[in-house]
């Protein structure tokens, strides 16, 4: 089922991602999160939401890259410890 929203803005893309996630459609949620990151490539919260979505989807290599981007954008992010813990599980080539 399509969600009707005006996703022509950063906020609109985040809203669409959230609604698809609530409906259990992680694939579409991730697509909308990537659009949000296109609007604001250094937005730590959008990057974190996308990283977590990729992590839940089992796409850990993508999640590792995104967690690093979050930490570059916001080195003192409140969820830094959780991200570093996940990054510590990265294979040697991904660290």
């Amino acid at each position: 089922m399509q969600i009707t929203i005006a996703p022509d803005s950063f906020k609109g893309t985040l809203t669409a991602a959230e609604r698809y996630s609530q409906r259990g459609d992680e694939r579409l949620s991730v697509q909308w999160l990537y659009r949000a990151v296109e609007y604001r490539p250094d937005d730590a919260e959008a990057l974190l939401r996308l990283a977590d979505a990729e992590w839940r989807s089992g796409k850990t290599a993508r999640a590792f890259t995104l967690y690093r981007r979050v930490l570059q954008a916001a080195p003192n992010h409140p969820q830094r410890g959780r991200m570093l813990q996940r990054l510590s599980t990265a294979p040697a080539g991904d660290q």
Side-chain angles (χ1 to χ4, degrees), residues 29-48:
S29 178
V30 167
Q31 287 178 3
W32 284 105
L33 287 169
Y34 271 106
R35 288 183 187 183
V37 170
E38 286 178 10
Y39 276 105
R40 295 190 188 165
D42 295 323
D43 186 280
E45 294 309 313
L47 288 166
L48 180 58

Side-chain angles (χ1 to χ4, degrees), residues 53-61:
E54 291 286 31
W55 180 270
R56 287 190 304 273
S57 297
K59 296 179 180 159
T60 55

Side-chain angles (χ1 to χ4, degrees), residues 11-72:
K11 186 175 179 180
T13 57
L14 290 179
T15 300
E18 182 65 27
R19 289 192 183 163
Y20 279 113
S21 181
Q22 289 171 350
R23 291 184 176 198
D25 193 333
E26 287 299 315
R27 183 184 61 81
L28 282 175
S29 178
V30 167
Q31 287 178 3
W32 284 105
L33 287 169
Y34 271 106
R35 288 183 187 183
V37 170
E38 286 178 10
Y39 276 105
R40 295 190 188 165
D42 295 323
D43 186 280
E45 294 309 313
L47 288 166
L48 180 58
R49 287 174 65 177
L50 179 54
D52 286 342
E54 291 286 31
W55 180 270
R56 287 190 304 273
S57 297
K59 296 179 180 159
T60 55
R62 288 183 186 175
F64 294 143
T65 299
L66 291 161
Y67 286 132
R68 285 186 203 95
R69 286 181 61 189
V70 174
L71 292 170
Q72 286 177 330

Side-chain angles (χ1 to χ4, degrees), residues 79-92:
Q79 294 195 40
R80 175 183 171 83
R82 180 176 65 85
M83 289 183 278
L84 289 174
Q85 189 280 325
R86 287 189 175 173
L87 285 167
S88 73
T89 68

